[in-house]
Amino acid sequence: MKEFYEYNLNNDRIKKYFKGHAEIDRLMKLNQKYFEYIFSGPFNIEYYREKIKIGYLHYLRSIPNDSYLASLGNLNSILNKLWQNKFTDVIELFEAQSITSDLLFIEIYFTVNTYYTFIEKKLFDEKTKMKEILDNIQDCYFVINKDLMISDVVSKSCLNIFNTDISGRSIVEIFDEFQVSKKDIFILSVKQYFENIFNMESIFNMLPSTIEVKNKTIKMSYTPILDINKKPQKIIICMSDITEHIKKQKFLEEYHTKNLTILEIIKKRDEFDLMLKDIALKNVTLLDCDDITLGKNILYEYRNYFSRFSLANITTLIHNLELELLEKEKNEKFNAKEFFSISCCMISDLLKKFLEENYEILGIPS
């Protein structure tokens, strides 16, 4: 227990979540009983509820999963050293370490998933609130006339998106100037709207629901203005900046994927270690490989390895290298040795970066 808390208090990323010595003393007393409970049970439904409670407490205190995983990884190391001193029989030692790994995996699995579930719920609530706002308040609006000129009256909030006055200017000119994504389909659809040749519903389905304006993600909505003969006269464009919301969503997705990858590695640690050793051996061959068939086979094996542990960015890199190789090998002057050497370095760099970022959790040197 002392070694466990010494590690936490000497780790700058973890110690800030403890509120003084009184709380540490209280937690040590609680965990003296809880650590025993982890390994002795009883293993009933209440056993899993306790882990869900811990995940919820971590969520309330905003304790990040990487700090928690590093702390539990340290506990695993402490216990494994304890077993090495206790058991002289190799089989008994292996069983003790295996059971420790399994029970700590259960601890981590339920705690992390509970933590993630509550974060996801919070994001969903924020999305619901945002939708209510977007449904009732438009951040930016302007009117486009038949000649594709923006009317003289625009909302002041358009400045927040374009950082300039767009009134009285051509929508084509504005979208060109700001290199707006999906510009061509937007302009084509607006032109077809005013030509009134095609079904209006089809045209509105073609209009993009989001666009990119200078690194901002903009939600788009459209309102037709018809004359007395129900022919298009103008169109109102409504824009809402949802950049921050998209960033939050992307961060949560990446965070969840990272947690799943780490959990998979912790659960299959022996298999992961063997994979690293095999890659280290094959890298020697790949660095100096001038045989296209052999190089292809090694890349294929690497892609399967990393895919097995959900290391998506490395898997994607290897897939792209395989596609590039298919094109390059058609060229008679293609230097296979140089290609495989560079590929090996690129894959190794990504793997090294992953191991460095998660060293505190996994304890695997890069």
Side-chain angles (χ1 to χ4, degrees):
M1 187 65 61
K2 184 180 177 184
E3 189 177 345
F4 176 74
Y5 276 97
E6 279 178 354
Y7 168 82
N8 288 332
L9 294 174
N10 287 322
N11 187 304
D12 291 334
R13 291 170 61 190
I14 298 175
K15 69 180 181 181
K16 62 184 177 182
Y17 296 102
F18 295 99
K19 300 173 183 177
H21 291 288
E23 185 188 43
I24 293 166
D25 291 339
R26 180 180 63 81
L27 289 171
M28 284 182 73
K29 288 176 183 176
L30 283 173
N31 279 329
Q32 279 175 350
K33 295 179 181 179
Y34 184 68
F35 284 2
E36 183 179 348
Y37 178 58
I38 289 176
F39 297 99
S40 61
F43 303 102
N44 52 16
I45 193 71
E46 190 58 36
Y47 182 82
Y48 299 99
R49 285 202 183 104
E50 283 298 316
K51 290 146 187 30
I52 292 171
K53 289 176 189 174
I54 293 170
Y56 181 59
L57 287 172
H58 283 195
Y59 162 75
L60 290 178
R61 294 180 62 182
S62 299
I63 299 174
N65 280 333
D66 52 359
S67 296
Y68 165 70
L69 289 169
S71 183
L72 265 287
N74 174 56
L75 175 61
N76 190 48
S77 298
I78 293 169
L79 290 169
N80 280 336
K81 283 189 290 183
L82 188 152
W83 303 145
Q84 285 170 4
N85 293 329
K86 183 176 177 62
F87 298 107
T88 55
D89 183 83
V90 175
I91 294 175
E92 288 183 336
L93 174 61
F94 174 78
E95 287 179 349
Q97 291 178 336
S98 178
I99 291 169
T100 299
S101 178
D102 286 346
L103 290 176
L104 286 180
F105 174 77
I106 292 169
E107 185 76 16
I108 289 168
Y109 181 84
F110 278 86
T111 303
V112 169
N113 275 283
T114 302
Y115 180 94
Y116 173 74
T117 298
F118 278 99
I119 289 181
E120 194 174 45
K121 182 181 182 301
K122 183 181 179 183
L123 180 66
F124 177 78
D125 292 342
E126 287 178 356
K127 284 171 70 176
T128 303
K129 288 178 184 176
M130 181 175 286
K131 186 176 185 304
E132 289 172 359
I133 293 169
L134 292 177
D135 286 345
N136 295 284
I137 301 173
Q138 300 300 335
D139 291 335
C140 157
Y141 71 86
F142 55 91
V143 176
I144 299 177
N145 299 316
K146 282 186 176 181
D147 57 3
L148 302 188
M149 298 295 289
I150 299 169
S151 68
D152 291 336
V153 180
V154 302
S155 67
K156 292 180 181 178
S157 52
C158 287
L159 284 170
N160 298 330
I161 293 174
F162 293 103
N163 297 318
T164 188
D165 182 9
I166 62 171
S167 60
R169 296 180 62 185
S170 163
I171 188 64
V172 178
E173 178 188 323
I174 291 293
F175 273 39
D176 277 339
E177 180 181 334
F178 289 92
Q179 298 178 337
V180 175
S181 68
K182 305 174 187 175
K183 175 197 71 176
D184 293 339
I185 188 66
F186 175 88
I187 299 299
L188 175 64
S189 300
V190 170
K191 284 180 177 178
Q192 289 180 346
Y193 163 77
F194 285 119
E195 289 169 359
N196 196 31
I197 298 173
F198 301 102
N199 178 277
M200 191 175 293
E201 184 179 351
S202 300
I203 292 171
F204 273 76
N205 285 334
M206 286 174 58
L207 283 162
S209 57
T210 60
I211 60 171
E212 300 291 326
V213 181
K214 285 204 174 274
N215 299 320
K216 296 174 185 174
T217 303
I218 307 300
K219 178 181 171 64
M220 305 285 285
S221 57
Y222 310 89
T223 305
I225 300 178
L226 309 177
D227 60 19
I228 55 174
N229 297 315
K230 294 188 177 181
K231 291 184 178 180
Q233 188 176 30
K234 301 175 186 292
I235 185 170
I236 301 174
I237 309 295
C238 303
M239 292 183 164
S240 304
D241 188 345
I242 57 170
T243 308
E244 289 305 312
H245 172 70
I246 296 296
K247 284 181 181 177
K248 280 185 181 179
Q249 192 173 39
K250 185 179 179 183
F251 170 79
L252 188 61
E253 289 170 356
E254 290 175 351
Y255 191 64
H256 181 52
T257 301
K258 177 186 172 183
N259 282 338
L260 289 176
T261 298
I262 291 173
L263 285 172
E264 189 69 13
I265 291 171
I266 291 171
K267 181 63 178 172
K268 299 177 180 177
R269 179 57 185 270
D270 290 343
E271 188 180 335
F272 188 75
D273 288 343
L274 286 173
M275 180 196 83
L276 293 180
K277 288 177 183 177
D278 192 43
I279 287 173
L281 290 172
K282 284 188 168 64
N283 275 351
V284 176
T285 304
L286 193 62
L287 276 169
D288 199 40
C289 181
D290 56 4
D291 184 322
I292 292 178
T293 302
L294 176 60
K296 274 183 178 180
N297 289 336
I298 293 175
L299 289 178
Y300 176 77
E301 287 180 40
Y302 281 9
R303 178 158 55 84
N304 284 340
Y305 276 153
F306 293 116
S307 176
R308 195 179 307 158
F309 290 96
S310 303
L311 287 158
N313 58 338
I314 307 180
T315 305
T316 302
L317 169 65
I318 296 171
H319 177 66
N320 290 336
L321 288 171
E322 289 174 318
L323 292 177
E324 185 180 345
L325 179 59
L326 286 174
E327 289 299 316
K328 285 184 178 294
E329 65 179 323
K330 296 174 185 176
N331 187 342
E332 292 180 1
K333 296 180 180 179
F334 168 56
N335 188 329
K337 187 174 180 179
E338 181 182 353
F339 176 84
F340 289 125
S341 177
I342 293 172
S343 298
C344 182
C345 292
M346 290 170 71
I347 294 165
S348 298
D349 285 346
L350 272 186
L351 178 58
K352 181 181 179 183
K353 183 182 177 184
F354 172 78
L355 294 175
E356 286 175 349
E357 288 175 350
N358 297 286
Y359 178 74
E360 285 192 0
I361 300 170
L362 300 173
I364 302 174
S366 57

